[in-house]
Amino acid sequence: DIDYLKPNPKQIRKEFDKKFLTRLSKSLIKFGIVVPILAQKDGTIVAGEQRWRAAKIANFQKLTVGKDVIFLEKKSPKDIGVINALENMMRRNLNVFEQSDGLVSLISEHTNILDIKEMKRLTFYLYYKNWNPVYKEQMTALKEIITSLGLSNQRAIWLLSLQDVDATVVTYVKPRIGHGRDMFSLNKLHELAKIPQTHQMMVAKAVQHHGYSARGIKVAYSDYMKGLRNENLVLKQRKD
């Protein structure tokens, strides 16, 4: 029964494109479920929630075990988390903020690293191959998760940095994620995340208006701060 399956509450994809699901449902009616849905014994979906949702739209009542759905045997919580993350990262429309949240969730659940700053610091150590003996166990667990997801250490650093982007800015840039001059690539968002949150929205709007590159963001913000300091200095001198 299709209703035996249920969404994973730890699913890293938070938004589902209704138009895409409708197109997918038509494809399922014509060709069936080509790639099986993976689920735990209790019906919790590990990979394939979009296919399951599309199958419900297509009014599928029954799924064939072994063909349409495969129940996983004896997978650890970490393995299940990695499978879910891989499934989503390889599929369409999983934005980089969802990827970032998924990576943080996996690290916090399956290592003893709970602080975002600590995650970033230890990932920097991995990037520079600085294996500090004090953190060997944590870094080994961190490396295993990053490698399992097929991420480079640099991309992992960039994704973790997105946790520093202000929530209102996240809402603003989400529809504009991409690789055009006036769009936001992961590299640009990484540079934006380095800027204090009080100035991020101003810079984000400037990126869209002027089409700054990642390096251009850094230079433009530096110039803005120099101008602000000079302006404050002039005001102070006038007061004196």
Side-chain angles (χ1 to χ4, degrees), residues 118-134:
E118 187 76 350
M119 290 180 194
K120 290 192 288 186
R121 185 165 69 91
L122 295 183
T123 308
F124 267 113
Y125 285 172
L126 287 175
Y127 180 74
Y128 289 107
K129 298 185 169 124
N130 179 15
W131 281 81
N132 189 319
V134 177

Side-chain angles (χ1 to χ4, degrees), residues 225-240:
M225 291 306 293
K226 285 178 185 174
L228 197 61
R229 284 194 293 270
N230 289 338
E231 185 179 322
N232 288 338
L233 181 60
V234 169
L235 288 173
K236 185 176 183 302
Q237 288 172 342
R238 285 177 180 171
K239 286 181 180 179
D240 293 343

Side-chain angles (χ1 to χ4, degrees), residues 2-138:
I2 193 169
D3 289 324
Y4 178 72
L5 300 181
K6 56 190 177 184
N8 187 338
K10 295 180 181 178
Q11 158 74 275
I12 63 175
R13 182 187 293 276
K14 303 303 180 188
E15 299 171 1
F16 293 88
D17 187 328
K18 291 182 180 178
K19 290 182 179 179
F20 172 73
L21 290 178
T22 300
R23 291 198 302 271
L24 181 57
S25 70
K26 292 177 181 178
S27 174
L28 294 184
I29 291 170
K30 187 174 182 179
F31 300 107
I33 298 177
V34 178
V35 180
I37 298 165
L38 302 182
Q40 296 174 260
K41 285 292 187 180
D42 67 355
T44 301
I45 296 170
V46 174
E49 185 173 336
Q50 289 196 113
R51 296 190 288 283
W52 173 72
R53 287 174 180 267
K56 288 176 73 70
I57 292 172
N59 289 319
F60 282 31
Q61 301 298 317
K62 302 285 184 182
L63 298 177
T64 304
V65 176
K67 178 179 176 292
D68 299 326
V69 58
I70 295 174
F71 290 99
L72 300 175
E73 299 280 352
K74 297 178 180 179
K75 288 289 183 184
S76 70
K78 184 173 76 173
D79 289 340
I80 289 170
V82 168
I83 290 170
N84 178 262
L86 275 172
E87 158 84 2
N88 281 293
M89 286 183 178
M90 290 189 294
R91 299 288 173 184
R92 71 190 298 279
N93 288 345
L94 185 70
N95 68 59
V96 288
F97 293 103
E98 290 174 320
Q99 292 180 37
S100 175
D101 291 342
L103 180 58
V104 169
S105 177
L106 276 175
I107 293 171
S108 60
E109 285 182 31
H110 305 298
T111 73
N112 59 350
I113 311 167
L114 302 178
D115 182 68
I116 301 291
K117 289 182 179 178
E118 187 76 350
M119 290 180 194
K120 290 192 288 186
R121 185 165 69 91
L122 295 183
T123 308
F124 267 113
Y125 285 172
L126 287 175
Y127 180 74
Y128 289 107
K129 298 185 169 124
N130 179 15
W131 281 81
N132 189 319
V134 177
Y135 304 108
K136 184 176 180 182
E137 184 178 340
Q138 293 168 300

Side-chain angles (χ1 to χ4, degrees), residues 169-212:
V169 179
V170 171
T171 302
Y172 176 78
V173 303
K174 265 187 182 179
R176 301 169 174 86
I177 293 173
H179 294 282
R181 287 184 71 251
D182 60 344
M183 302 291 277
F184 293 87
S185 63
L186 178 56
N187 193 6
K188 287 183 183 180
L189 290 170
H190 172 59
E191 290 301 328
L192 184 65
K194 295 178 183 178
I195 294 169
Q197 290 189 343
T198 50
H199 293 151
Q200 286 178 358
M201 182 61 83
M202 174 196 70
V203 175
K205 290 180 178 179
V207 169
Q208 192 181 19
H209 183 71
H210 298 292
Y212 289 135

